[in-house]
Amino acid sequence: MSNQSGIGVAFTGSGSAAPEAVLDNENMSRVVETSDEWIASRTGIHQRHLAAPGESLKQFAAQAAQNALNMAGISAADVDLIILATSTADDLFGSASQIQMAIGAHRAAAFDLTAACSGFVFGMVTAAQYIRTGAYQTVLLIGADVLSRWVDWGDRRTCVLFGDGAGAVVMQASSVGDRLLGFELRSDGSLSNYLTLAHEGQPRELVDDVAIGQGSYQPIQMNGQEVYRFAVRKVPEVIEKALFRANLTVEQIDWLLLHQANQRILDAVADRLALPKEKVISNMARYGNTSAASIPIALDEAVRAEHLKPGDVIASAGFGAGMSWGAAIFQWGK
Ligand code: UT7
């Protein structure tokens, strides 16, 4: 993708972290009426990591961030900007600055970005803009979610799907090329009722003629079949658009790295793009759907296992509540 400044983006480090506690499908069937057979065959999920009561989003995000900084070989003091993609901040005012403090990135500005399961891709594109304009040299992009706080643990149609975790990448200015090759971001608020974690307020009159609505957020509600159909239709489309912008063809993709929502969605998208299964990165068997964290956790594991090598072309796409969806075609490495 062209940019006028001549400054490109490089991906120099990745990291991830997840809670220690694991709930496998067998134990899940003690929480709701379900079975390992149903969950594994319909979703590909075998277990998920769940945050314990005293654990925080900040803690996993900071650990993932530190691991990414270590891989990049830089210190927290080098970070100019922290973007935290999350829908489940510890504090509704934002958790990014608490992570900034936890890792000691004293110089960095920090903010939260919410685009549900598309948050990491939206965050990557946002980070790239700051770098390409020359405003910032080093951006720490974190995707982290603790959806277990907001799942309806009595609803077997949703509670079996989600897990908790965090992933991070370091994105840095480069004068030798731009590793973010193309992207396409989309939103459609007319479909927002497919997947919600909505605030519900009860009216409270403060004085005559002035009332406010005060309440709390309601557990996740999802129309699974509609979200499934939406993902299988829209994700290949948005990847093709991003490829077009990158001036690349499907054959040039080394890895398909989708939001880890359902193995059947990954398989269906790969089929539609005519991509062989060997190119599909999947770790949802071990994590379930970790929302904004799913892409960077899977990325980090692939990098550390040395499956994914510098220069490899990755087609990544997020999709979820909003509805929001988006694709980014990028090359791993400096
Ligand atoms: O990050 C956000 C993105 N979210 C997604 O991508 C989710 C997309 N949707 C999906 O992945 C799938 O729609 C699900 C995995 C959520 C559901 O799979 P499905 O094949 O669409 O199942 P279904 O909702 O059509 O339900 C089939 C049957 C129903 O029973 P009846 O009505 O046919 O008797 C459900 O009650 O399976 C039943 N069921 C379950 N049974 C055992 C639903 N959940 C469960 C369960 N265990 N956990």
Side-chain angles (χ1 to χ4, degrees):
M1 184 164 285
S2 67
N3 83 80
Q4 288 155 352
S5 67
I7 305 169
V9 176
F11 295 86
T12 57
S14 67
S16 58
E20 219 171 277
V22 163
L23 183 70
D24 64 14
N25 290 349
E26 215 50 63
N27 275 326
M28 181 63 90
S29 65
R30 294 162 59 188
V31 181
V32 284
E33 198 184 322
T34 188
S35 64
D36 176 49
E37 200 283 326
W38 193 96
I39 302 170
S41 64
R42 299 271 179 151
T43 70
I45 297 165
H46 291 274
Q47 62 170 49
R48 66 289 293 147
H49 292 253
L50 298 177
E55 292 180 321
S56 63
L57 176 112
K58 175 186 87 175
Q59 163 182 348
F60 306 118
Q63 200 183 324
Q66 192 55 59
N67 293 344
L69 294 175
N70 293 348
M71 189 191 287
I74 61 172
S75 83
D78 298 321
V79 177
D80 299 308
L81 177 68
I82 298 171
I83 300 176
L84 170 66
T86 188
S87 306
T88 54
D90 294 326
D91 184 324
L92 205 46
F93 285 143
S95 286
S97 54
Q98 292 175 31
I99 296 160
Q100 177 229 19
M101 182 202 61
I103 63 173
H106 306 293
R107 283 197 318 107
F111 64 84
D112 290 27
L113 176 156
T114 298
C117 302
S118 311
F120 187 77
V121 170
F122 277 57
M124 182 187 291
V125 173
T126 304
Q129 309 315 308
Y130 284 99
I131 293 171
R132 286 173 173 172
T133 55
Y136 292 129
Q137 301 280 308
T138 300
V139 182
L140 180 58
L141 169 63
I142 306 165
D145 268 305
V146 183
L147 280 178
S148 63
R149 289 173 176 167
W150 297 106
V151 161
D152 178 349
W153 286 101
D155 178 7
R156 68 176 183 174
R157 291 168 306 142
T158 52
C159 75
V160 302
L161 304 174
F162 298 105
D164 304 331
V169 292
V170 176
M171 293 171 63
Q172 292 186 276
S174 165
S175 54
V176 294
D178 198 327
R179 300 289 206 176
L180 178 59
L181 306 172
F183 68 82
E184 175 80 9
L185 304 180
R186 303 295 309 274
S187 306
D188 185 352
S190 72
L191 307 177
S192 62
N193 63 332
Y194 284 179
L195 184 46
T196 58
L197 200 178
H199 185 266
E200 214 174 271
Q202 303 302 324
R204 181 179 151 198
E205 196 166 273
L206 298 177
V207 292
D208 281 351
D209 299 332
V210 181
I212 47 97
Q214 207 165 41
S216 60
Y217 289 86
Q218 300 303 304
I220 293 169
Q221 284 186 17
M222 180 174 75
N223 183 331
Q225 289 184 0
E226 289 296 352
V227 175
Y228 187 96
R229 271 196 284 272
F230 165 88
V232 169
R233 198 172 63 243
K234 295 294 190 184
V235 172
E237 200 178 282
V238 84
I239 289 175
E240 276 166 355
K241 284 199 171 137
L243 277 173
F244 176 77
R245 292 182 196 281
N247 204 16
L248 292 175
T249 62
V250 170
E251 293 72 38
Q252 290 169 289
I253 297 175
D254 294 307
W255 300 104
L256 183 66
L257 175 53
L258 301 185
H259 165 50
Q260 309 279 299
N262 185 326
Q263 187 62 43
R264 284 156 56 214
I265 295 178
L266 268 58
D267 294 342
V269 171
D271 274 357
R272 288 199 181 193
L273 292 170
L275 274 169
K277 297 242 182 315
E278 307 81 71
K279 293 191 171 185
V280 179
I281 296 177
S282 172
N283 68 357
M284 84 185 63
R286 289 177 288 115
Y287 291 96
N289 177 346
T290 57
S291 196
S294 86
I295 292 175
I297 294 174
L299 175 71
D300 182 51
E301 290 193 343
V303 168
R304 286 173 194 271
E306 295 183 11
H307 296 147
L308 208 155
K309 305 222 166 49
D312 282 358
V313 174
I314 302 151
S316 96
F319 53 93
M323 300 301 283
S324 61
W325 67 110
I329 314 294
F330 64 100
Q331 282 177 300
W332 182 250
K334 291 201 163 90

